[in-house]
Amino acid sequence: MGAWVSGLLGGADSAAAAAAGPAAVGLGDLPELCAAQVLLRLDPPEICRLARLNHAFRGAAGADFVWEAKLPENYRYLMEFVGTGEEGRRRRRRAGKKEIYARLSKPVPFGDGQKEFWLDKIKGMICMALSSKALVITGIDDRRYWQHMPTSESRFQTVAYLQQIWWFEVVGEFYKRFGRRHCSSEHVHGWNKKPVRFQLSTSDGQQALSQCYLEEPGSWVLYHAGDFVASKPDQPMKLKFSMAQIDCTHTKGGLCVDSVLIYPKGKGFQHGRVVRSQR
């Protein structure tokens, strides 16, 4: 009816336009606000891929409210560790939410460079790593037993190398890139006699205890110590973890301790092979 009336009033040109039918509508005609609502339901890598589709999604992909929904609640506190001095503060104030997400997705050092945190790029969850120098290692100051060895294999550029010891204990508190080896597997001994015990506890009463034999000499292996739940993310939690083999009937040695990883459980976090010890 509308096209017919327009034809009566507008003459031949209007009639031709009416005969051509309605104009084709595609994703490029989608309002940016609608496109942003679609992006809110996607993971960050999917947002970046869709932004290359057309100008509507490209514009929506830069919206602050889209990326703020992907950031952890305490992202402002985390950004305080990025940059130093007045210049760092100015840059943090000017940064958009997408820029903040991109920066926090890269390792941010703290604790005198002995610890790092970053956001998992897929889910935006917080991951952390503690170097061997941030751990309490029995006998670490006695060079007859332990040495700190520089290596490009570690994300912290150093590992703690155990030559030989009777009492093995590594403890850490909190309030992988691995590659070329510097130590010969010929020096590995004593780990097949008794399993190593892993313990994890939190200040709100959660505990995990497991054990396993350290195998695959000459390889870097990520051993799973346990799981915990941060049920109240707005409240601080103290986390304590340890690995120990304190049977003094035999010596053990040839072990490199690189770091401790704390990461979200699930499919989002990408890591290498993980050995899960027996409860």
Side-chain angles (χ1 to χ4, degrees), residues 68 71-77 126 233-234:
E68 188 164 17
L71 288 164
E73 294 181 4
N74 63 340
Y75 73 87
R76 292 184 178 87
Y77 170 73
I126 302 174
D234 57 330

Side-chain angles (χ1 to χ4, degrees), residues 36-37 39-40 47 60-71 97:
Q37 291 297 323
L39 299 183
L40 279 172
I47 293 176
D64 272 356
F65 76 91
V66 171
W67 289 98
E68 188 164 17
K70 309 303 177 183
L71 288 164
K97 299 301 186 293

Side-chain angles (χ1 to χ4, degrees), residues 147-151 157-161 182-183 256:
Q147 292 184 24
H148 284 295
M149 299 180 59
T151 171
Q157 304 301 308
T158 183
V159 298
Y161 174 63
H182 285 261
C183 310
C256 286

